[in-house]
Amino acid sequence: MIEIDISPIAFNIGPIEVRWYGIMVVLAVIAIIAITLLEAKRVGIADDHIYSLGAWAVIGGVVFSRVIHVIDKWDYYIAHPTQIFTFEGLAVYGAVIGVILAIIIYCLIKQLSIWLIADLVSPGALVGMAIGRVGCVLNGCCYGLTTSFPWAVGYTCPASYAPLGVPLHPTQMYHIIWNLAAFGVLWALRRRLKPQGSVFLIYLAFYAAGDLLIRFVRDGDHPYLFGLQQAQVIGILMLVVTVPLLLVRMWLYRRKTSAQ
């Protein structure tokens, strides 16, 4: 068992706790914006659009990630209604939905191609998600089921969210590896994938598939529908929509180009 004895609290500023998770979220946002700026420069999109879109995406991601988390844990929050408006729990799928809505609204207002902007953001989003999961590792949240695998992790810091001294699947690391692998594929293929929107749809499919599988060995989430967690149900729905849409759009594009 690999022991993790790092406190989730990085440091204190007076009575304020600065947690590693929050630091990693900030670094994730910076990484997403930086990579998206590189992609925007490649296709001739002004930097100002990326900075503005980043602000919109942060707001949309935080709000919707909180909403989805509260819905998922409704039994708890109905008994503790005053905690609904804190930010002690966030759902990654909520962040994805919130960011997508922010992109759509911003592009409609600024008359930009939604598919193009979504393609530009997608590779960086995977890197950002991987960085965010580093925060989960240090926080002890999103931990896995008990296991006897040699790469099991065990938390020993009392401030950790994970049960102490128990060998667990390092599901946070599974997410990191999956997201970085998906980033490598998208980054290598991004110039060749046609039509616009293909990079974005593959990003969604990659993320949904990985999250769906990893959650079978992840603890802490109760069954939501047909014995599956809420995030797994969302992942299945996302795959049902994105994969056929991707294939149909690619087929129509190839048919159109071959007819010219």
Side-chain angles (χ1 to χ4, degrees):
M1 185 175 70
I2 303 169
E3 290 190 1
I4 299 178
D5 190 26
I6 302 175
S7 173
I9 302 169
F11 55 90
N12 291 76
I13 302 176
I16 301 174
E17 294 180 346
V18 179
R19 305 181 72 90
W20 283 113
Y21 185 84
I23 293 173
M24 292 302 160
V25 169
V26 172
L27 292 177
V29 172
I30 293 173
I32 294 170
I33 292 175
I35 295 173
T36 304
L37 283 170
L38 289 175
E39 286 295 272
K41 184 177 181 180
R42 179 174 63 86
V43 300
I45 298 293
D47 290 354
D48 289 347
H49 283 306
I50 305 305
Y51 289 123
S52 298
L53 185 57
W56 283 56
V58 168
I59 295 171
V62 170
V63 171
F64 273 85
S65 63
R66 183 60 182 167
V67 169
I68 297 299
H69 172 79
V70 170
I71 292 174
D72 187 34
K73 308 294 184 182
W74 184 246
D75 289 343
Y76 172 82
Y77 286 105
I78 197 65
H80 305 84
T82 58
Q83 296 188 28
I84 291 177
F85 301 102
T86 65
F87 289 92
E88 285 297 317
L90 301 173
V92 175
Y93 266 119
V96 173
I97 294 170
V99 169
I100 291 173
L101 290 175
I103 290 174
I104 292 173
I105 294 172
Y106 183 84
C107 289
L108 289 175
I109 293 174
K110 298 296 183 179
Q111 298 183 339
L112 298 172
S113 168
I114 295 173
W115 288 120
L116 174 60
I117 298 300
D119 279 350
L120 299 181
V121 174
S122 295
L126 286 166
V127 174
M129 287 178 169
I131 295 173
R133 289 298 181 183
V134 174
C136 293
V137 173
L138 300 175
N139 210 31
C141 60
C142 307
Y143 54 86
L145 299 172
T146 57
T147 180
S148 59
F149 288 176
W151 57 81
V153 297
Y155 286 85
T156 57
C157 178
S160 173
Y161 281 91
L164 301 181
V166 180
L168 306 169
H169 274 286
T171 45
Q172 311 97 323
M173 293 300 301
Y174 297 164
H175 281 292
I176 292 171
I177 293 170
W178 181 269
N179 287 333
L180 291 179
F183 166 75
V185 172
L186 276 190
W187 193 256
L189 299 178
R190 71 193 191 287
R191 296 173 184 264
R192 289 183 283 169
L193 290 170
K194 303 293 181 181
Q196 285 183 1
S198 296
V199 173
F200 170 65
L201 291 174
I202 292 175
Y203 151 69
L204 290 180
F206 261 127
Y207 181 76
D211 192 72
L212 173 65
L213 294 174
I214 292 169
R215 285 179 183 272
F216 281 112
V217 293
R218 176 172 159 178
D219 200 355
D221 292 325
H222 300 293
Y224 179 75
L225 186 66
F226 302 124
L228 298 173
Q229 300 169 19
Q230 182 195 58
Q232 290 179 305
V233 174
I234 295 175
I236 291 172
L237 292 175
M238 190 172 289
L239 287 170
V240 168
V241 172
T242 56
V243 174
L245 180 59
L246 173 67
L247 295 176
V248 169
R249 294 181 81 251
M250 283 184 164
W251 177 75
L252 291 174
Y253 177 80
R254 290 174 182 171
R255 182 179 177 184
K256 180 179 178 180
T257 54
S258 62
Q260 293 177 349

